[in-house]
């Protein structure tokens, strides 16, 4: 049997069928996304007023994404060329020579370059299409909320699922096709694919994150804190920018980010799998095919799980019936998990003849599930930690902030302990077989953890969709007080509240999976460096020794990078929010605005948000790319390994800290808002305690939605850059004057990145929002 | 020649003289401290009213320290016994057998135990005597300020120098005497000595840090924020607790902490030196004697430098004359530095025959000097970063906090880069000789960096002394408006302002030196584990490989510990401050308090501060001791090495971040206070911007003065515990049921520590401040 020439790579008949089936599953998931889209698109878009508000959001979001694309295209171009020629600097790997005896370098160069472009395009597509779908969904959710809860939930969740299945489908398709074409020479192309996706995700996260929080913080600071007007009030000039921000940040940024984690775990599992094929006495290709199968299984489980979400509330069996949207989503997540774990144990024992592979999938799935209660414990309003933050409001803003900081610092420790436990399990399962098996086991945990990406992205996108729906309702139904409207408002408020929880939970999973993915990449790094060294006859690097002072320096510098990155991201938001505050304050002074008779100039605020987020894209990417290269060139590949360890450690700790502190402040504020408003008793909206809560929420915003999430792709960009550069660093370990020149150039780039990012953005001269192009 | 039996250890005649001279220098520095003390004690203590206020501070501080001592004595007792018997679990080292062929284990056990008690007692002494001296100084500074600037400066600085020279003298004496007695078997005893000092420092830092900031934050929150009364207002019930806090936190805690760094750098230099003696083909003892010589030189330089401080302002040569207190201190620091560097090059070339040893001292001294401008750039009011924080006050509290967080995150990166550069220099100098030489070089940089501990502690203690003097003036000179009083007030305000700067700078140096010391300990760890393994015939651990999954887990857990520790410390302050706020609020309601006709019950607030700081001592120490032991037992010695790397990385990054964010907020607030007060224009005291500044300062307080500084000794406690446990871990690497029982007990201890620390303190039942016993 030789389907699609797969026998050439040494696959058995069953394995050929399995790989082809995975491709078919990937296509099915894309078709499923298309099917859900058509369900949503058939729903009505509501009144003319609603569509007017919606149009403003749509145009703002589209024009932002288009603008962002133009900003980053040149750098993508430069990197494409660099990647192409990077293949020529080093000799091809033995695997490449085996798979492609003729024109090896050209084939690999083209493969890597095309894969890079594909990875970047897929990431972009997931972000762009996902966001556009969310925008199509939000106005329809608002319209459906007038009909009933289940109708609204269905649209919101299915719209989110479209993005989820796109993520699954494109991620699986890309990785599998690369393997079909390149076989055991796949790592070269896979690295390009992973790097493209991750880089785009970094851009989307940084840009979207700064945009959304600059607008949000700016809107809140003047609206809620100074003028005491409610959220989503049409008199606030920043209100449309805020709604646009939810889409470009929480939808587009998040989708691209999770897509990239999904991709990268496949990349590292395949790289480590290929290394195992060499080492394993049977030379079985199961180490490569098994992860692909699990991903295929996960997609099928996701389809079944996500499709059942609207069913749970109508279920005739009372014990299984869900009582609200949150329960329905969790129930369907559980369905997906059970299917995946059961099926993966079957494949593990019957096909791979190693039950432990099934256990690894189960650990991965379990890890994703474990992060739900963990994140929820530290960020849910009714739980003790957030209650303590609420208590601390009694003594003012300072204690509110301190208790949130303390909470975040503690939560990041436990998140890390959970991850460490999963690694311990990997060791227990595979330490008898050898170190490389343990590293592969860690990568397989990543495969398992992200197998329900469809569900996760669906739950996450659901958040901004219902948030926006709520906003559209607020803006379009001004002054309507009939029962249907009140009812619809309540439904949307409920959906929105659930969205905050699901968003927080998926954020926790996204960070954890980023760390697992990064650790797998780190493991691949060692393998890859060793291979590159063996290829040119050098002794193989067999370990990253932090007891070596040079490597320890690498560890220190790596640990510092996430702090620098976060510092710059927070500063960017803080500065942009300041500009927006000034702008909104100025507009409030225009006669008629506060009375609601004159519409504010929404476009000016959109312009500020756009300009300040654009400005950071290239500098932050340059910092993340140049520093590891400098460390690698100056201190060597082993020190770069230490650097990667430091980046992962600091990145994980900082990301969860920022995410959970922010989430806790947000929900603590909501907790106070749910109290009865009584200024005298210092409770509810408008009280001093509420003001402290709003300040906390505002501080948390850029932490939890800009800096924290942007660390996910940053960690992986650093790892992938190092992986791609490894063979070059190995070959040119003795820097000549040319090498030092490169170091100097990289250093200049790094310094430029830092200073450029710290510069205030150009004085605001009326940047109009472009009409959707 | 055989002075004091030193020939027995193999020392040459010159080396014997050198070692004895070092002991003499140590004694000289103690005599110099005594001499300065008598100068200060002769000065008048001012009016009766001043002495009444001062008496309250003195009694509060004394009774706190006594109470703290009682809290920690049981645990010191337990550890003493444990250390004694720890020697019996493992076979003695070959060096110990060589130096003491008979009764080896008993001698080593007694040596280690006595050294532990000595280390703890010295640390306690430095803290206790230093603080008592500071309290003797402060009232005299207040009295002298009525006579003139130079008189006040002299008393404040000389009082601080007493503590500085105590630190130098006791640190040098302890280390050298241990070497004289034990020779090449010294590491066993040195570890006990270091551990004792570090553990005490941890207690003093944690207790003092929580005490001082609970009182400070509590006083500010009600006094400044709610009631709008000035700092140090006698109507505020927390005002005496606040002044006491300056002494127990900034004086006692800081002195014990720096003493411990001073000690620990000697410990690690000697351990690595002894390892080098083995490896070095000449087997020269210079690797051990040289660091002792440099320390001796540093003490002499410190004496010369510190003594000249009051001279610089009276200098006849205009170009060298200092124009203010800050300049005078820096000038004298420069004098010390020049002498040390010059003399150490002489010893390096003439005695050790290796100019690079001189270069290492120079790098160390340079590192301490480099931290001045670095810390000052990020925390001084006139510099750009703090100016940006001040600008961000324009848009409210949230942006003020965000810009401070961002600033702190950036500053920690550059601090780490400076440290990394010093390591690179160590590599450049010694990489040709081998890895162990590089590690020794790092330890020698630590020796150089802390050689002017006398000056550093003097500059640091000077801060709280002038702060307290200012407070005594405020409280005792109520309503006095004559010219002499106004003049004296101005002088003290100036001294106080300089104190804030010098305190911030020495804090930066303290953290950096803690990291260097910890890295040296980390280096000793590898050497020591290897030695322990060789002793029982196991293969020597030659590296800490984070590419091994188990070691990577160690790295992750180690990185998490400083976050947990900081979280608990911040929470403790925040909770205690909340209680104090309630108490002060209640007292304000008592008729007559606000009018100033009734004296508030200061003792109740002192009681709250005391109780809540006492409560944390044991739990935080237990956490720091149990976690490394658990990691070592469960994952092995190499994973524990990874753990240490993680602790150092996270600890350094967090400590500088917290310290500089806090410092920047503090000075940003001061910047606003220096503006003209105009509520309309939103400038100066009482404006909205000022309120944001006060909130920032309050948030920064526990970060910069509790959690941040407490990380210094914590990092080293963890390293020393690991070093001491290493031989045991090596021997019992295969845990039987007994081993797992120990793990279980340690785990229970850890969980107890976390839950105990998180518990609210006992409901406040009137804990009277004890009268000084």
């Amino acid at each position: 049997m030789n389907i699609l020439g797969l026998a050439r790579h040494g696959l058995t008949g069953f394995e050929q069928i399995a790989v082809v089936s995975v491709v078919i599953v990937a296509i099915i998931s894309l078709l499923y996304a298309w099917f859900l889209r058509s369900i949503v698109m058939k729903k009505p878009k509501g009144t003319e007023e609603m569509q007017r508000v919606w149009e403003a959001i749509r145009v703002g979001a589209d024009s932002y994404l288009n603008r962002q694309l133009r900003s980053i295209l040149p750098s993508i171009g430069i990197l494409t060329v660099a990647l192409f020629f990077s293949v020529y600097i080093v000799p091809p790997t033995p695997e490449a020579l085996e798979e492609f005896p003729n024109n090896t370098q050209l084939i690999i160069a083209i493969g890597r370059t095309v894969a890079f472009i594909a990875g970047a395009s897929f990431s972009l597509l997931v972000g762009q299409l996902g966001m556009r779908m969310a925008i199509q969904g939000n106005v329809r959710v608002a319209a459906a909320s007038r009909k009933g809860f289940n109708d609204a939930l269905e649209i919101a969740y299915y719209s989110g699922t479209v993005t989820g299945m796109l993520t699954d489908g494109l991620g699986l398709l890309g990785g599998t096709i690369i393997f079909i074409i390149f076989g055991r020479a796949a790592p070269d192309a896979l690295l390009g694919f992973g790097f493209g996706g991750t880089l785009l995700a970094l851009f989307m996260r940084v840009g979207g994150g700064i945009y959304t929080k600059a607008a949000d913080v700016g809107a809140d600071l003047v609206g809620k804190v100074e003028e005491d007007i409610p959220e989503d009030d049409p008199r606030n000039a920043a209100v449309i920018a805020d709604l646009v921000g939810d889409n470009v940040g929480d939808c587009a940024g998040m989708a691209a980010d999770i897509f990239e984690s999904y991709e990268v775990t496949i990349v590292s599992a395949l790289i480590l799998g290929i290394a195992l094929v060499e080492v394993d006495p049977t030379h079985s290709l199961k180490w490569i095919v098994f992860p692909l199968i699990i991903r295929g299984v996960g997609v099928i489980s996701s389809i079944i799980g996500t499709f059942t979400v609207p069913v749970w509330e109508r279920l005739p069996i009372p014990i299984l019936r869900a009582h609200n949207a949150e329960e329905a989503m969790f129930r369907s997540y559980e369905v997906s998990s059970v299917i995946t774990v059961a099926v993966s144990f079957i494949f593990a024992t019957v096909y791979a003849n190693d039950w432990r592979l099934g256990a690894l999938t189960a650990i991965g799935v379990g890890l994703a599930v474990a992060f739900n209660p963990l994140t929820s414990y530290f960020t849910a309003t009714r739980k003790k930690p957030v209650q303590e933050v609420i208590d601390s409001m009694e003594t003012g803003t300072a204690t509110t902030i301190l208790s949130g900081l303390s909470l975040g610092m503690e939560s990041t420790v436990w998140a890390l302990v959970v991850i460490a436990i999963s690694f311990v399990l990997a060791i227990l399962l595979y330490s008898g077989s050898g170190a490389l098996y343990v590293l592969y086991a860690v990568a397989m945990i990543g495969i398992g953890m992200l197998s329900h990406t469809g569900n996760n992205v669906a739950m996450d996108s659901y958040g901004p969709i219902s948030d926006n729906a709520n906003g559209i309702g607020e803006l379009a139904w001004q002054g309507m007080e009939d029962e249907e409207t009140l009812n619809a408002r309540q439904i949307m408020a409920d959906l929105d509240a659930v969205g905050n929880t699901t968003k927080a939970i998926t954020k926790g999973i996204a960070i954890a999976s980023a760390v697992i993915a990064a650790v797998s990449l780190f493991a691949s790094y060692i393998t890859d460096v060793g291979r590159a060294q063996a290829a040119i006859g050098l002794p193989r690097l067999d370990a990253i020794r932090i007891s070596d002072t040079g490597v320890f320096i690498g560890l220190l510098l790596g640990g510092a990078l996430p702090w620098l990155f976060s510092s710059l991201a927070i500063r960017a938001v803080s500065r942009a929010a300041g500009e927006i505050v000034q702008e909104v304050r100025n507009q409030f002074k225009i006669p008629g605005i506060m009375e609601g008779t004159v519409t504010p100039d929404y476009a000016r605020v959109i312009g500020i948000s756009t300009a300040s987020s654009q400005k950071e894209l290239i500098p932050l990417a340059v910092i993340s790319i140049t520093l590891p290269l400098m460390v690698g060139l100056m201190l060597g590949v082993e020190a770069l390994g230490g650097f990667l360890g430091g980046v992962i450690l600091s990145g994980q700790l900082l990301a969860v800290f920022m995410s959970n502190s922010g989430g806790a402040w947000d929900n603590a504020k909501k907790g106070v808002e749910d109290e009865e408003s009584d200024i005298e008793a210092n409770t509810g909206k408008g009280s001093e305690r509420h003001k402290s809560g709003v300040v906390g929420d505002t501080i948390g915003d850029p932490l939890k939605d800009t800096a924290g999430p942007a660390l996910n792709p940053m960690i992986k960009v650093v790892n992938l850059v190092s992986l791609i550069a490894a063979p070059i660093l190995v070959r040119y370990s003795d820097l000549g004057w040319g090498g030092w020149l490169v170091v100097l150039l990289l250093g200049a780039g790094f310094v430029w990145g830092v200073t450029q990012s710290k510069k205030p953005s150009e004085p605001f001269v009326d940047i109009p929002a472009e009409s959707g192009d």
Side-chain angles (χ1 to χ4, degrees), chain A:
Chain A
M1 185 154 57
N2 186 4
I3 314 176
L4 297 171
L6 279 169
R8 181 166 55 95
H9 305 312
L11 294 178
T12 66
F14 173 80
E15 285 168 344
Q16 293 178 34
I17 297 172
V19 169
V20 173
S21 307
V22 169
V23 174
I24 295 171
V25 167
I27 294 169
I28 290 176
S29 85
L30 295 176
L31 292 175
Y32 175 61
W34 183 257
F35 164 69
L36 291 180
R37 179 174 189 278
S38 61
I39 292 185
V40 172
M41 295 302 278
K42 276 191 215 118
K43 307 284 174 175
K45 286 196 284 186
T47 64
E48 212 166 286
E49 179 59 21
M50 284 163 70
Q51 292 189 39
R52 210 179 53 76
V53 172
W54 171 71
E55 187 67 15
I57 300 172
R58 201 184 60 76
V59 169
D62 277 2
S63 74
Y64 171 74
L65 279 197
N66 292 332
R67 201 174 175 127
Q68 173 165 288
L69 185 57
R70 283 206 299 278
S71 305
I72 60 181
L73 267 184
S75 56
I76 300 286
I78 294 171
L79 284 171
T80 306
V81 175
L83 277 178
F84 185 86
F85 287 106
S86 72
V87 174
Y88 284 92
I89 305 183
V90 290
T93 60
E95 290 85 2
L97 285 168
E98 221 171 89
E99 294 271 358
F100 306 100
N102 305 316
N103 291 327
T104 321
Q105 285 195 308
L106 183 66
I107 294 174
I108 297 297
I110 292 177
R112 176 179 279 187
T113 315
V114 172
F116 172 70
I117 296 172
S121 315
F122 283 10
S123 191
L124 188 71
L125 261 183
V126 170
Q128 289 244 10
L129 295 182
M131 189 194 81
R132 295 200 155 99
M133 187 64 233
I135 291 178
Q136 292 297 338
N138 59 30
V139 69
R140 291 176 168 87
V141 172
S145 70
R146 303 188 79 88
K147 280 168 62 191
F149 182 82
N150 238 343
D151 298 81
L153 169 64
E154 187 183 302
I155 299 175
Y157 189 76
Y158 279 170
S159 307
T161 311
V162 171
T163 317
M165 298 323 294
L166 263 179
T167 309
D168 273 0
L170 291 178
L172 199 51
L173 203 61
T176 317
I177 288 181
I178 288 176
F179 174 69
I180 291 176
I181 299 174
F182 291 90
R184 291 202 281 143
D188 278 310
L190 281 173
L191 287 178
F193 187 62
F195 184 49
T198 309
L199 189 69
L200 245 288
L202 180 66
F203 285 132
M204 308 276 267
R205 270 295 199 198
V206 167
I210 294 173
Y211 188 111
T212 179
K213 289 301 130 172
D216 189 6
V217 171
D220 284 359
L221 279 179
V222 199
K224 287 196 202 169
V225 180
E226 292 183 6
E227 301 291 337
D228 217 9
I229 61 174
E231 178 123 21
D232 294 334
D233 191 298
R235 292 168 293 177
N236 192 326
V239 69
I240 297 289
D242 187 8
L243 290 170
V244 170
D246 288 342
N247 291 301
V248 300
D250 293 347
C251 282
M254 181 64 154
D257 182 16
I258 296 195
F259 170 76
E260 157 275 306
S261 277
Y262 189 81
E263 243 184 51
V264 154
T265 39
I266 295 194
V267 170
S268 47
L270 292 185
I271 292 179
L272 289 165
I274 287 169
L276 267 195
V277 172
E278 272 180 50
V279 172
D280 183 37
T282 66
H283 296 294
S284 161
L285 286 171
K286 69 178 180 191
W287 305 110
I288 313 172
V289 176
F290 189 76
L292 292 175
I293 294 180
I294 295 302
R295 276 289 154 91
V297 171
V299 170
I300 298 284
S301 315
S302 271
I303 292 177
I304 299 173
T306 52
F307 195 69
T308 61
V309 161
V311 175
W312 295 100
E313 282 200 277
R314 288 174 282 196
L315 218 63
I317 314 150
I319 196 156
L320 289 175
R321 197 181 295 152
H323 300 90
N324 56 42
E326 201 175 336
E327 254 185 64
M329 287 185 220
F330 284 138
R331 201 61 51 85
S332 69
Y333 199 96
E334 286 154 18
V335 168
S336 302
S337 302
V338 170
I339 299 175
T340 303
V341 169
V343 178
S344 64
F345 265 108
I346 295 172
F347 274 105
T349 44
V350 176
Y351 156 62
N353 219 347
D354 185 351
W355 64 272
R356 296 174 299 178
L357 288 173
L360 291 173
T361 314
I363 294 168
V365 171
L367 200 55
V369 173
F371 267 83
N372 292 0
L374 190 68
T375 311
S376 161
Y377 176 72
F378 282 105
T379 58
T381 311
R382 66 192 179 285
K383 293 282 165 55
K384 210 177 136 197
V386 175
Q387 282 301 323
E388 283 184 17
V389 176
I390 293 178
D391 290 346
S392 66
M393 289 174 183
E394 187 63 42
T395 43
T397 308
T399 44
T400 309
I401 306 306
L402 285 172
S403 62
L405 289 175
S406 160
L407 174 156
M409 286 177 164
E410 190 190 340
S411 72
T412 194
V413 173
W414 302 122
L416 197 135
V417 167
V418 170
I419 293 175
I421 289 172
S422 78
F423 291 169
V424 170
L425 294 175
I427 295 179
L428 290 178
L429 285 172
Y430 276 97
S431 67
S433 311
L436 189 59
Y437 287 80
V438 176
L439 297 177
Y440 179 78
V442 170
M444 279 306 298
I445 291 176
I447 292 283
M449 183 167 191
L450 284 164
S451 52
H452 302 127
T453 293
N455 308 48
N456 282 332
V457 174
M459 279 164 75
D460 182 72
S461 296
Y462 163 87
I465 292 170
S466 35
D467 189 337
N468 258 263
N470 207 353
I472 292 173
E474 289 288 335
L475 290 168
W477 302 340
Q478 278 277 304
M480 288 164 65
E481 297 290 342
D482 58 301
E483 197 174 333
E484 193 188 285
T485 307
L486 293 179
N487 227 337
R489 281 212 171 113
Q490 188 54 49
I491 285 175
M492 290 205 297
D494 289 349
L495 287 175
D496 191 10
V498 172
N500 277 321
T501 310
T502 57
K503 232 170 69 182
I505 288 170
T506 46
K507 207 179 289 164
I509 295 177
I511 295 173
S513 70
V515 171
I516 302 271
V519 174
S520 319
L521 287 176
F522 173 63
S524 325
Y525 175 78
I526 301 157
T527 315
D528 247 37
V529 168
R531 221 199 330 251
Q533 286 168 323
I536 58 170
L538 288 175
R540 256 177 191 266
L541 176 76
D542 58 347
I544 309 291
R545 281 164 280 254
I546 53 167
S547 42
D548 178 275
T549 310
V551 181
F552 193 78
I553 297 173
L555 180 78
L556 292 180
L557 294 176
L561 180 58
W563 290 81
L564 180 63
F565 189 88
S566 304
S567 164
L568 295 174
I570 294 170
R571 176 193 288 260
V573 173
S574 169
R575 193 173 47 215
E579 288 171 41
I580 291 177
V581 165
Q582 300 293 6
E583 174 63 31
V584 178
R585 272 187 193 157
N586 288 343
Q587 293 208 24
F588 273 140
K589 288 185 198 133
I590 298 169
I593 295 257
M594 271 311 261
E595 295 73 32
T597 52
V598 174
T599 311
D601 187 352
Y602 300 129
R604 286 181 68 95
V605 178
I606 291 182
I608 298 175
S609 276
T610 307
S612 39
S613 47
Q614 294 304 304
K615 188 184 141 281
E616 303 298 324
L617 294 175
I618 307 298
L620 287 179
V622 165
I623 290 168
S624 316
I625 293 173
T626 50
L627 192 59
L629 291 178
M630 279 161 67
V631 169
L633 283 169
M634 288 196 293
L635 301 170
V637 279
E638 194 174 342
L640 181 53
F643 184 89
L644 299 181
V647 168
I648 294 173
L649 175 62
S650 271
Q652 153 75 15
L653 285 165
L654 262 177
V656 179
F657 158 62
M658 296 197 282
S659 172
N660 286 352
S661 286
W665 281 317
D666 190 350
N667 281 330
K669 179 202 70 177
K670 292 210 172 80
V672 177
E673 285 173 354
D674 287 345
E675 297 164 358
E676 207 179 324
S677 174
D678 181 343
I679 309 293
E680 196 58 28
N682 201 6
T683 58
K685 281 193 185 179
S687 64
E688 283 302 315
R689 282 171 64 240
H690 183 235
K691 280 181 192 152
S692 296
V694 172
V695 171
D697 180 34
T698 313
I699 294 170
D701 270 339
L703 303 186
K704 78 178 197 295
D705 290 323
T706 311
L711 285 176
N712 300 352
M714 187 280 262
I715 296 173
K716 280 166 287 176
V717 163
V718 170
N719 272 280
L720 282 162
V721 165
S722 310
L723 264 164
I724 293 173
I728 303 170
L729 296 174
V730 166
R731 187 162 172 92
Y732 299 95
S733 60
D734 196 11
L735 300 181
W737 66 266
W740 282 107
L741 191 70
V742 173
V743 170
L744 216 69
L745 283 175
L746 291 170
F750 180 80
V751 171
W752 173 84
V754 175
T755 47
Q756 178 68 14
S757 169
K758 284 173 75 175
K759 264 210 297 220
S761 31
E762 295 295 303
F764 178 61
V765 210
D766 220 348
I767 306 164
E770 296 163 55
S771 55
D773 51 359

